[in-house]
Amino acid sequence: MGGKAPLVTVEGLRVTAGGGRSVIVDDVSFSIARGEVVALIGESGSGKTTIALALMGYARAGCTIAGGRVRVGGVEPIGLAPAALARLRGRTVSYIAQSAAAAFNPAQRIMAQVVENALIHRLRSRAAAEARARALFRALALPDPDGVGALFPHQVSGGQLQRLMAAMALITDPALVILDEPTTALDVTTQIEVLRAFKRVVREQGTTALYVSHDLSVVAQMADRIIVLRDGVVQESAPAAQLLTAPAHPYTRSLLAAAAPAPRQAVALPAGAAPLLRVSGLVAGYGPPDARGLPAVPVLHDIAFSIAPGSVLGVVGESGCGKSTLAQVIAGLLPAARGSITLDGEALAPRAAGRTREQLRRVQIVFQMADMALNPAHSVRRILARPLQFYHGLRDAALARRVAALLDMVRLPQALADRLPAGLSGGQKQRLNLARALAAEPALILCDEVTSALDTVVGAAILDLLAELRRELGVAYLFISHDISTIRALCDQVMILYAGRCVERGGRQVMQMAPMHPYTDLLLSSVPELRPGWLDGMSATHLAEAAGGLTRAAARLACPFQPRCAVRLEDVCDRVPPPVQPLSKGASILCHRGEAELLRAQATAAPLHASAD
Amino acid sequence: MNAGITRLRPATAAGLLIVLFWAAMAAFGPLLAPHADGGVMSAQVFDAASRAAPLGTDYLGRDMLTRILIGARYTVGVAAVATGLASLVGTTLALCAATVGGWTDAVLSRLLDALISLPSLLFALVVVASVGSSIPMLVATAAVIYVPGAYRTVRALAVNIVAMEFVKVARARGEGTLYLMRAEILPNIVLPVLTDFGLRFIYVVLLLSGLSFLGLGIQPPYADWGSLVRENIEGLAYGAPAVIMPALAIATLTIGVNLLVDGLAGRRGGGDGR
Amino acid sequence: MSPLARLLAARLASGVLTLLIVSLLVFLATEMLPGDVAQAVLGQSATPDAVAALRAAMHLDQPGWLRYLLWLRGLLTLDLGRSLVNGLPVASLIGSRLPNSLLLAGLTALVAVPVALLLGITAAVWRGTAYDRVVGVLTVSAVSVPEFLVATLAVLVFAVRLHWLPAMFYGLDLRSPGHMLLVFAMPVATLSFVVVAQIARMTRAALTNVLDSSYIEMAVLKGVRPLRLVLRHALPNALGPIVNAVALSVSFLLGGVIIVETIFNYPGLAKLMVDGVSTRDMPLVQACAMIFCAAYLLLVLLADLLAILANPRLRHP
């Protein structure tokens, strides 16, 4: 620490919940030197946000700071009088929350909220504060820095709001900034811009920061030092580069392993088998249909693919690309406006109500939110028994035997059978969801982001289970995810969606071999890597593409990626629908550019994607 | 923070006791009444409280305690039946609308929303003006008036449940509407539906006693508490307990139910451990 | 048309549609009247010719849907027919009473709304404190109590025991403030009692909802003090629900007006209607019911429009 006193010291911090019955943070000690960026890493429930809030003398409802000492720049926030606390908050320590969309007041203009900090702490006049705010907007690379302040929060995109919140936090030149999962709610391509803006501002202003996150790859780009937390206890604390390359603690090692999942063992598929599911010309959306029978809010445009028995098709895309809608359409929950879905060569009715029980049985769906997919009023046994009765007419002893077998199959202890879902952990709930789908003995399971809401380690175990079930039962998956590493780990075939269009489709190798569709290229290079300096080494092409973002106007263009695309053809891509184009690597893309052109562009711009396999 | 009944807040416990007390009176009141119904026990009208008549006497010199105990049946019983009908119909329609959606939902919601914008006492007055106020007619009127409210509450609850993934899973499995309503949705909204029943019961009691107070509710020879207030209103000038006591009886009943309902609703909100 | 204008127009249209459905319900309810109205009006001694003539004059010989349309046209042209009891035009009967009711309702709103908002807002700000719990129990009790209990207790205490106020209403003299205060004290207080409790409860609920949101937590972490937190950050977002709460409470006010006007013998529209009900004067009852419903719907519609205009998402799409 070079003899200089640290800005922040935390000693023996202890936070309890439920009137002292459970300990959320236990005996946590660390310090932050001036100008240092320290990351708190941990999975959900590790107490990382609670620690961060304690630095501001704040505990959420139900939590109590039960012991320990915190010093921030000579002030001890714990037990401070309300007036003195109000002087500390926003002035000495400021906070950037996870969801800017929720943290901005919907009824006030952005500028009023950004400068409020400076005004209530009487640091600047309104005019001076607004001038400073605009300077910060520029430093944070916000488009239209002079006009954005006059807007209301709902008029601005999520990535921009997150940067605006950074401006709100920095306007008082605080001694310490707390960033609480500031990019977790964002898509990967949006995340890049925000991370770069944060990093530049932190570097320029020499800000001291505490960066709270669950994502090691993100933290690797930002932090000087990383503190690993688990169940409210510090596991390891080390300089970033050292912790990432030579982790000392076994828990850190398991986190690192889960962050870069290895591909699961592939299954040899019989060649030339008739497809299990075939989808062609699919158009779907929400809202009342217009005169041509097309929905008011179109989501999916002309989607076509097929799934072979026992194979896994991965569907990748960012939020709003239509990947979950696709699962709902196939399951018959949302009738398609156009196109056909056939199962084993038989056409499926658009609605579940119009399908035969046998057809319904062969396609099952598993959702992202494990707890919302389980009826809280039904016991585990009842949840598993229903499809067995419904599809197979099982009763009594046969039913009980089958329920027990299903629990075994997904590695759930028999003792859980009489519990309600509330008594299960997140991972157990998702296993139960899988077991319920398996009860039907389906040929295809639609997996909609089944690991996304889970902690990495728990999610990795679910991936293992999926791979194993596929090997043993020969079930096929339509595996939907926004996370490219899980897609890489499990899928035989991959389909990449952008704004409801399938921009690229092919074997697993499409994600490792150039050339690719320009969006695929951007998406893959936007996934943070576990090495420090990855963010700084990004190519200018990708940065420019990432900065764009999908707008409502762009979604109506012939190619919605056109405004962001580095290799767009002016006056062509926005008018003429791009053709489906086969590539020699065995994929097909939706693009006007030829294979050679793309290859040239991507060879110069992109560093080769160093993938895990 | 101990187990069992001590976990109820004092206000909730008090509400529960009051509700149990009046339910018992509605069932057994006439058996417990100190004097036979209608029996004039005193020449003294609008008498103050005495040993023989703990709540005084009414305008005919009848024992008020007896009158109130017998009236409990009409106030509590009629309101309970009417509320039960309203809740049953409202809940069924709401579950149906929320599960089926589309046009069924749109038409039902539109119609019942129009009904809700008729102020309740006003609507009751119009019906009474037209068909009179026999007890079955009063029950039917009160039930019709409070169906839309029950419908709106339950629909709002059910729509939230219908949007949950477990209902989608059941739909994708091929389950029918009736199964979705009965097995998937209803078990998850039982407590708020009961809470709503309690609130609606209060409204019905206030509505029916208001009608009776206007002389347009339950007609002699039967008398609920609202009628008792009306028939003894002359006693107000003498400060007779005969006017105040039946009104207080209504107040204790409705406050009791409300305290109980508030406690139940509060427990639901506080039960989320996250 | 802008989305906002389209939304406002849709609300307006929906209000008109609701009023139409309500009119149909009111008409149907009075159509359930058993027996012959003309006979009832003229009495048993009337000649068959006279009855037939009256039937024709009242369109009783026409089919139901036609009579509904005729009645609807009457409503729109303020031709409300004649009272079955005294033969006076319903319009003039109502015209003499309506201002009195509006005065009573207006005074009550003037007293009740500020008091209720103050109670609701303070209870939300100090939620979880003893003050909040006391306000909670008091308002729960107040909404559960029948108006006639409040009214009779008030009469008992202030008129019978203390002789401060008159027990009955004895004429209006708008020129004398002292007189007005005496006359209106008890009716207005009785009406306010329930309305205050209702609005206070809903205001507290709406504000508490907002105070639990993460932008309020963010404001706390910016060092915003409690008063500014509530007035600048929370209240603007709770405005829509609060305005709606105020409008909905009018339906309680309406029920209360009927009871209070009867108890205090106040010459208002509600008293007129109650008298009409006891004498089965259907044209009068129908007209009064439509006026009350229209007034109520108008208030709800106004609240709705205000809530839309208060929402920045709709104002600045």
Side-chain angles (χ1 to χ4, degrees), chain C residues 6-28:
Chain C
R6 202 175 312 150
L7 190 61
L8 293 181
R11 289 298 158 94
L12 211 64
S14 136
V16 172
L17 180 66
T18 308
L19 195 59
L20 214 62
I21 298 178
V22 166
S23 75
L24 191 63
L25 286 172
V26 167
F27 184 78
L28 283 177

Side-chain angles (χ1 to χ4, degrees), chain B residues 110 117-119 129-130 254 258, chain C residues 18 29 33 144 254 280 292-293 296:
Chain B
R110 179 79 255 164
S117 54
L118 283 166
S130 153
T254 49
N258 220 332
Chain C
T18 308
L33 183 64
S144 322
L254 213 54
R280 296 200 159 183
F292 278 126
C293 287
Y296 172 67

Side-chain angles (χ1 to χ4, degrees), chain A residues 58 60 86 89-90 95 102-103 105-108 113 116-117 121 152 154-155, chain C residues 214-215 217-218 220-225 228 232-233 236-237 312-313 316-317:
Chain A
Y58 183 81
R60 290 211 165 119
R89 292 172 180 167
Y95 182 72
N105 192 324
Q108 291 179 10
Q113 305 190 49
E116 182 178 27
N117 245 347
H121 294 293
F152 281 91
H154 70 269
Q155 296 169 308
Chain C
S214 53
Y215 54 84
E217 180 178 71
M218 188 68 213
V220 170
L221 292 177
K222 277 162 81 175
V224 174
R225 306 291 177 87
R228 184 182 170 91
R232 293 289 293 277
H233 288 261
N237 287 293
R313 268 172 201 280
H316 309 275

Side-chain angles (χ1 to χ4, degrees), chain A residues 21 44 60 123 369 401 409 451 458 465 485 566 581 586 592:
Chain A
R21 269 174 298 168
S44 59
R60 290 211 165 119
L123 296 173
M369 293 302 183
R401 266 201 307 279
M409 208 183 283
T451 59
V458 181
L465 178 64
S485 62
Q581 191 189 145
H592 285 291

Side-chain angles (χ1 to χ4, degrees), chain B residues 58-155:
Chain B
D58 75 352
Y59 73 112
L60 293 176
R62 290 177 294 192
D63 173 36
M64 270 323 283
L65 179 61
T66 304
R67 298 286 289 161
I68 287 176
L69 285 180
I70 291 166
R73 180 155 292 191
Y74 297 101
T75 293
V76 180
V78 170
V81 173
T83 317
L85 270 176
S87 272
L88 189 70
V89 175
T91 303
T92 312
L93 289 179
L95 284 177
C96 192
T99 314
V100 177
W103 276 105
T104 317
D105 184 24
V107 170
L108 269 178
S109 297
R110 179 79 255 164
L111 274 179
L112 290 168
D113 259 7
L115 235 108
I116 225 173
S117 54
L118 283 166
S120 51
L121 189 54
L122 193 79
F123 187 31
L125 284 181
V126 174
V127 175
V128 164
S130 153
V131 296
S133 41
S134 63
I135 288 179
M137 224 42 233
L138 286 173
V139 168
T141 308
V144 167
I145 287 175
Y146 287 105
V147 163
Y151 171 86
R152 184 185 266 192
T153 314
V154 179
R155 185 184 168 278

Side-chain angles (χ1 to χ4, degrees), chain A residues 321-351:
Chain A
C321 73
K323 53 194 191 300
S324 293
T325 307
L326 180 61
Q328 308 231 354
V329 171
I330 297 172
L333 293 171
L334 179 76
R338 297 269 170 82
S340 70
I341 308 169
T342 59
L343 181 70
D344 295 321
E346 261 179 83
L348 288 182
R351 288 171 197 280

